[in-house]
Amino acid sequence: MDRTSVSGVDAPSGAGTLPDLAHAQNPEGVLSQLAVKTEQGLSSQEAAQRLARFGPNKSQEAAPQSIWRVVIHQLRSPVVVLLFVAALLAFFFQEWVEGFAILAVLLLNTLIGFVTEIRAIRSMEALRLLGSKSATVLRDGQLQIVDAGALVPGDIVSMEAGDAVPADIRLIHASGLAVDESALTGESVPVDKMVQAVPADARVEDRSCMVFRGTAVVRGHSTGVVTGTGHSSELGRISDLVATAKSERSPIERGLSKLAGQMVWLTLALTVCLALMGFLRGEDMLLMAKTAIALAVAAIPEGLPIVATLALARGVWRMASKNALVERLSAVETLGATTLILTDKTGTLTENRMHVAKIALPFGVLEASDVGAGDLAANAGLESLFVAGTLCSSASLGKDDSDGVGDPMEIALLRSARQAGMERTDRLRALPQVAMHAFETEKRMMATVHSDGAAYLVAVKGAPEAVLSHCTQVLDEAGAVPMDKARRDQWEQRIADLADDGLRVLALANKRVSDPEAEPYSDLVLLGLVGMVDPARSDVPEAIRLCHSAGVKVVMATGDHGSTASSIGRQVGILKDGARTIEGHELASMDANGSSMRDARVFARVSPEEKLFLVKAFQQRGEVVAMTGDGVNDAPALRQADIGVAMGIRGTDVAREAAVMVLLDDAFATIPAAIREGRVIFGNIRRFAAYLLSCNLGEVLVVGLAILLALPMPLLPLQILYLNLVTDVFPAFALATGEGDDGVMRRPPRPPGEAILGRPQWLRLTVHGVVLSGATFGAMAIGQVVLGLEGNALLTTTFLTVAFSQLFHVFNMRHPASHPLKNEVVRNPWIWASLGLCTLLLLVPVYVPSLASIFGLVPPTAAMWATILGMSLLALFLLQIAMIWLNRGKVS
């Protein structure tokens, strides 16, 4: 092929302007506006000037997240702010140990979150690195290979099969051109292109005289003029649309922030009240300030951000082992809150590879999967059909069936013929090709001519209506018979039936001629029809069934045709129970909250703007939306969704840039696993948050009541901080490792606005806090009255009672209806490991003299130990009895 063969069209000199509605103008008008001549192209000087004027042919790339931005993200917590204020107050009152201890807690939490998040971010950034692309351009009258980023409006570009389209281009010349636009529009099969202008209001997918940046040529060759680069291209416009879509904070981030804020305000209120009461009673202000610090440290769950970060990080690591890469820790939990998944079709629900599904012959319709080696010898009609299909092709199939080059529909035909024992190379040796009539959009057919002894065989394939209209005979069991009206009606009905099944239909025909130059499309003999489909991935129906059992709606939004989308929707289980299909052009006149939208489960022929509209509409209805996709057209919706999930293999860089989660194996089935993981994580966070807060509430009651009742101080600030790091963090993290129960995916999603701790949880943890504080006061009373303890000995007794009652309290975190001895907490080995570790850590400041003096502790006597363990176990016993009584008849 001569890639320089373009029609010469003169244009006036000048800088040129971007053409308005290039698809609606003839080529000459576009060239005139761009001030370029097709036989010369732009000069190098003019190209440089336009590059400076219009900018490089690149989309805006997101800047890598800086280390400081990640650090700041870790510090944006009310708990962190309040702890920092408490540390400053400690330093102001020269309480150096307490101050540095609080700062150490802040540093530990920030470090854990920073390391986990930065690793995820850098992994995502590595995925986005792409190689540079080049283009064949006519400049200074000569074809040159230039970097695609240097293209400018007015450049004359040549393209052929296998080339990536480097910019938005108005076609000037096209021969048998077909372009894969699936990444841009979602259309699963190549789109035929022509030079003729189309109406001004034609949608992007219907602009047959244009090719767009980010797509690929699969057949034919062409020449065109660049009309849009960078942000002025369709791809650039979508990238700008992505930038306008908001990325909301996840439900868990909002929930933890709300919970932390509640604790901050509660702490401040308690501190102010106690300070006022102390001031009114005439207490020393310095003492009250130190007490306020102690109360703040007691009230704030220092372990909450640490354990939440570790729990989410563990979820990230677990998902990474299942080929899901998560950029933000909270993304895993967000999937757990998901109520609706809006998914693309091509490459997400389907294999993005055409397969022959059905073969229609005169005697009936065959399932292609039932055709195998040996069937051709027994069926002359089937053999003739496959001969025509393998000969009338410009594709090639490698040794591996997945290794094909050319039009996906032609590759599918070659693959099906190979399954039946026929190879294209063998057919070409027996019937050498002497001529080819390339596919023409106007005729919607192509033909090849082959030498067959003294005659020539013409093989034809194309759109079924076009081929059928040129057939005067049909190959029946008895040979070629006339195509009368009855037979023609029968074949037209077969075409309609295959199309109704969502199949792409091709008709195949042949004839024998004596002259290779004879008209190829007259007096054809119809051989049969082939129905093709981009099949659903084998694991998708089960994955969607799991989503439905978990109460998660699955909705498809695709740029493909309605019949094809509906067919796939029925195959995978999305379209059932009266659900309907809506096409994109209908959305503008529909009510987002209307019954039609609510009943729809498949949206076909939707544009990027319409996908974005759908995500926003579902969010306005209160849905937590997970959007899955792989194409450029999915990117705006991926960014707007509560969580965007992109495909790692088929996914474009723009889609991965917009997503917060990438499925490295492109398996939709990974999504239900992520939903389960998210639900388990939320349950674990709720469990350990209740544990932490009930423990801290017990400490607040102990300190606050002691101040109100003028009792000896039962806990010192440093002791409280140590307890919160030991008896809080390790058991809480053990609770965070729970694997969940078998019913996780049989329950509906929690309400989107549900708090981490609702009214039932607050009531329970309040009761828990009261019982824990009661055990401490009981130990204090026994120590003073029975054992005659005072000073550090009494302080040791109350300190260890608080500690061990909190450790035993972990067993109260079982599900209220579960068995007291057979439940998820008792079965968790990390619980027992944390209890052993915490016991050792509690004994260190008691029995190591240097630390004992810092903490104000003494080694306990046997009587003290009996009091400590007795009151701690009594609290556990009372709470277990209460749970059994309240849930009698529900124990499982």
Side-chain angles (χ1 to χ4, degrees), residues 24 413 722 727 799 812:
L413 266 175
Y722 189 74
T727 60
F799 168 75
N812 295 319

Side-chain angles (χ1 to χ4, degrees), residues 9-245:
V9 180
D10 292 340
S13 60
T17 58
L18 291 180
D20 185 29
L21 300 175
H23 59 277
Q25 301 184 49
N26 58 34
E28 292 78 8
V30 175
L31 290 164
S32 177
Q33 278 190 271
L34 288 166
V36 62
K37 299 179 180 180
T38 56
E39 72 275 11
Q40 289 293 323
L42 297 174
S43 66
S44 298
Q45 181 180 4
E46 176 64 20
Q49 291 175 354
R50 295 193 183 191
L51 184 62
R53 176 184 174 189
F54 294 108
N57 182 32
K58 295 180 180 179
S59 299
Q60 183 177 357
E61 298 177 356
Q65 289 205 43
S66 68
I67 290 176
W68 290 112
R69 185 175 179 182
V70 178
V71 171
I72 292 172
H73 181 259
Q74 299 301 318
L75 297 175
R76 281 178 14 193
S77 165
V79 170
V80 170
V81 174
L82 191 57
L83 279 176
F84 186 71
V85 172
L88 292 179
L89 285 173
F91 289 136
F92 179 79
F93 292 109
Q94 299 184 353
E95 298 291 338
W96 307 110
V97 176
E98 286 85 346
F100 283 115
I102 295 172
L103 289 181
V105 172
L106 292 175
L107 179 62
L108 177 63
N109 176 63
T110 302
L111 184 62
I112 292 172
F114 170 79
V115 170
T116 306
E117 188 166 344
I118 200 70
R119 285 177 59 187
I121 288 173
R122 294 298 179 251
S123 297
M124 291 289 289
E125 288 172 354
L127 268 180
R128 296 167 184 150
L129 296 177
L130 297 174
S132 60
K133 297 179 176 65
S134 59
T136 303
V137 182
L138 184 67
R139 285 186 181 172
D140 298 317
Q142 296 182 337
L143 283 177
Q144 304 176 23
I145 305 296
V146 302
D147 182 82
L151 288 180
V152 296
D155 266 326
I156 304 298
V157 178
S158 294
M159 295 168 291
E160 58 186 18
D163 288 347
V165 178
D168 285 5
I169 295 173
R170 174 60 165 95
L171 295 174
I172 300 171
H173 164 79
S175 176
L177 186 67
V179 177
D180 178 2
E181 295 185 340
S182 59
L184 184 68
T185 66
E187 176 66 61
S188 58
V189 296
V191 179
D192 296 319
K193 297 293 182 177
M194 62 184 72
V195 176
Q196 287 77 13
V198 297
D201 60 353
R203 295 165 66 93
V204 171
E205 56 267 29
D206 297 324
R207 296 175 187 175
S208 55
C209 60
M210 298 284 300
V211 292
F212 302 100
R213 179 175 164 226
T215 61
V217 179
V218 297
R219 184 180 66 236
H221 54 87
S222 66
T223 303
V225 59
V226 173
T227 59
T229 61
H231 288 285
S232 63
S233 66
E234 281 297 315
L235 178 60
R237 184 182 61 81
I238 294 174
S239 297
D240 292 340
L241 198 61
V242 172
T244 65

Side-chain angles (χ1 to χ4, degrees), residues 231-465:
H231 288 285
S232 63
S233 66
E234 281 297 315
L235 178 60
R237 184 182 61 81
I238 294 174
S239 297
D240 292 340
L241 198 61
V242 172
T244 65
K246 295 191 300 180
S247 180
E248 299 285 350
R249 287 198 306 167
S250 72
I252 193 65
E253 287 178 315
R254 296 193 292 266
L256 286 173
S257 179
K258 181 179 180 181
L259 180 58
Q262 291 171 341
M263 291 307 302
V264 167
W265 286 112
L266 177 61
T267 302
L268 290 175
L270 286 173
T271 303
V272 171
C273 287
L274 285 174
L276 287 174
M277 291 179 66
F279 175 76
L280 294 175
R281 288 171 49 185
E283 297 286 353
D284 179 67
M285 292 308 296
L286 179 60
L287 174 63
M288 293 311 301
K290 292 182 178 180
T291 302
I293 294 175
L295 188 63
V297 172
I300 300 172
E302 290 87 354
L304 182 61
I306 296 175
V307 180
T309 299
L310 289 174
L312 292 172
R314 184 173 182 271
V316 169
W317 297 329
R318 282 168 58 88
M319 292 312 302
S321 69
K322 299 175 183 178
N323 291 312
L325 181 62
V326 178
E327 181 177 12
R328 287 205 314 263
L329 299 184
S330 56
V332 176
E333 187 280 333
T334 306
L335 268 175
T338 296
T339 61
L340 182 144
I341 298 175
L342 185 65
T343 176
D344 188 29
K345 178 186 76 69
T346 306
T348 304
L349 301 180
T350 67
E351 296 179 1
N352 200 21
R353 190 175 77 163
M354 299 299 291
H355 287 246
V356 175
K358 294 183 179 181
I359 301 172
L361 297 170
F363 61 83
V365 179
L366 301 175
E367 295 291 335
S369 58
D370 296 335
V371 176
D375 290 338
L376 299 184
N379 191 327
L382 182 63
E383 181 181 22
S384 296
L385 180 141
F386 275 127
V387 167
T390 54
L391 293 177
C392 188
S393 176
S394 57
S396 62
L397 191 62
K399 293 182 179 179
D400 185 349
D401 281 358
S402 62
D403 182 19
V405 178
D407 188 310
M409 298 182 77
E410 292 186 346
I411 293 173
L413 266 175
L414 297 182
R415 193 183 297 117
S416 186
R418 173 177 287 179
Q419 178 183 315
M422 183 181 294
E423 292 286 345
R424 171 173 162 79
T425 52
D426 296 337
R427 292 293 92 199
L428 285 174
R429 276 194 293 268
L431 299 166
Q433 181 175 308
V434 297
M436 171 184 274
H437 300 270
F439 182 90
E440 296 181 48
T441 304
E442 294 81 1
K443 294 182 177 179
R444 301 172 66 204
M445 294 181 289
M446 74 171 289
T448 54
V449 183
H450 303 264
S451 175
D452 185 16
Y456 296 91
L457 174 67
V458 179
V460 177
K461 79 170 189 306
E465 299 84 358

Side-chain angles (χ1 to χ4, degrees), residues 750-818:
R750 68 181 186 274
E754 183 176 272
I756 294 176
L757 296 179
R759 184 178 179 184
Q761 290 79 30
W762 278 110
L763 288 174
R764 278 198 296 269
L765 72 86
T766 300
V767 172
H768 292 172
V770 169
V771 173
L772 292 177
S773 64
T776 304
F777 284 117
M780 177 183 286
I782 294 173
Q784 283 182 310
V785 177
V786 179
L787 303 180
L789 302 178
E790 59 183 21
N792 286 353
L794 183 61
L795 194 60
T796 301
T797 301
T798 54
F799 168 75
L800 290 177
T801 301
V802 170
F804 281 98
S805 64
Q806 290 181 356
L807 290 183
F808 297 148
H809 180 51
V810 74
F811 294 109
N812 295 319
M813 294 299 105
R814 64 180 175 87
H815 192 281
S818 64

Side-chain angles (χ1 to χ4, degrees), residues 124 127 319-320 322-327 331-332 335 341 343 347-349 537 539-540 543 626-630 638 643-652 655-656 659-675:
M124 291 289 289
L127 268 180
M319 292 312 302
K322 299 175 183 178
N323 291 312
L325 181 62
V326 178
E327 181 177 12
V332 176
L335 268 175
I341 298 175
T343 176
T348 304
L349 301 180
R537 295 167 63 108
D539 55 356
V540 167
M627 167 71 195
T628 71
D630 58 2
L638 287 170
I643 175 170
V645 184
M647 302 296 144
I649 299 174
R650 291 186 176 93
T652 61
R656 292 195 297 264
V660 296
M661 184 173 181
V662 174
L663 303 183
L664 300 180
D665 57 357
D666 283 14
F668 184 88
T670 304
I671 296 174
I675 290 175

Side-chain angles (χ1 to χ4, degrees), residues 511-580:
K511 69 175 180 177
R512 281 179 165 76
V513 296
S514 57
D515 180 5
E517 301 295 329
E519 162 59 39
Y521 301 123
S522 62
D523 299 321
L524 295 174
V525 178
L526 180 66
L527 302 175
L529 305 173
V530 174
M532 299 185 185
V533 65
D534 176 13
R537 295 167 63 108
S538 60
D539 55 356
V540 167
E542 175 62 16
I544 290 177
R545 188 194 67 77
L546 286 175
C547 290
H548 288 162
S549 70
V552 179
K553 296 184 282 291
V554 182
V555 176
M556 180 200 303
T558 176
D560 219 333
H561 292 277
S563 59
T564 305
S566 297
S567 175
I568 292 295
R570 286 189 291 269
Q571 289 179 42
V572 300
I574 291 177
L575 202 59
K576 60 180 182 179
D577 300 331
R580 57 173 299 190

